[in-house]
């Protein structure tokens, strides 16, 4: 079940605050930037870089993902391993609030998100 419009706006507000802190300086953004997308009940954070074979095109590299599970009233936390599949973030696979997810990503204690 997708997030409601109200929930999306609330998420966007928190994500924009996170991006304001985490995004690289403006002069670096053509070479490396950070973005996010909200689809249904999931939020994905990704890096945006020029493709190495064709620098005029950009590519997105996944950083972190969270999915809201309404029945459990929690956000499940994922990271992408080298097999290119999303795996539960074992130190903390569930959090109660989106802000907790963003704090885990910012902290990146085990270098799972930004390497």
């Amino acid at each position: 079940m997708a997030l409601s419009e109200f929930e999306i706006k609330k998420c966007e507000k928190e994500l924009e605050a996170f991006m304001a802190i985490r995004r690289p300086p403006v002069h670096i953004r053509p070479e490396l930037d950070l973005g996010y997308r909200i689809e249904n009940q999931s939020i994905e954070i990704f890096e945006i870089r020029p493709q190495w074979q064709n620098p005029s095109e950009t590519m997105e590299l996944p950083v972190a993902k969270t999915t809201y599970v309404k029945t459990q009233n929690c956000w499940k936390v994922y990271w992408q391993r080298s097999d290119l599949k999303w795996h539960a973030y074992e130190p903390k696979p569930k959090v109660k609030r989106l802000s907790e997810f963003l704090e885990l990503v910012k902290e990146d204690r085990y270098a799972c998100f930004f390497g």
Side-chain angles (χ1 to χ4, degrees):
M1 184 171 160
L3 297 170
S4 71
E5 270 188 60
F6 175 75
E7 291 167 324
I8 289 172
K9 291 294 179 192
K10 186 177 174 192
C11 290
E12 286 174 344
K13 186 176 178 182
E14 287 187 60
L15 287 160
E16 289 299 325
F18 172 81
M19 291 293 166
I21 294 167
R22 192 71 177 140
R23 282 180 81 187
V26 175
H27 69 279
I28 295 174
R29 291 179 189 170
E31 299 299 319
L32 171 65
D33 202 355
L34 203 57
Y36 69 88
R37 78 173 52 87
I38 301 172
E39 289 182 359
N40 298 321
Q41 71 275 12
S42 294
I43 297 171
E44 184 179 342
I45 298 172
F46 52 89
E47 288 182 348
I48 305 164
R49 298 175 176 261
Q51 288 187 357
W52 66 275
Q53 291 178 319
N54 185 1
S56 64
E57 294 183 24
T58 60
M59 63 182 185
E60 295 177 356
L61 301 168
V63 171
K65 181 178 177 178
T66 188
T67 300
Y68 183 66
V69 182
K70 197 168 198 162
T71 57
Q72 298 176 20
N73 192 31
C74 71
W75 292 88
K76 290 190 175 184
V77 180
Y78 300 99
W79 67 292
Q80 195 174 72
R81 296 184 64 162
S82 60
D83 64 4
L84 303 179
K85 294 181 183 176
W86 291 106
H87 296 267
Y89 182 66
E90 278 311 315
K92 189 119 179 173
K94 294 179 185 178
V95 293
K96 283 288 185 189
R97 294 182 303 281
L98 179 59
S99 59
E100 292 177 59
F101 163 72
L102 295 172
E103 187 59 35
L104 286 175
V105 174
K106 184 176 92 175
E107 195 176 79
D108 198 12
R109 180 177 294 159
Y110 301 101
C112 293
F113 303 118
F114 291 99

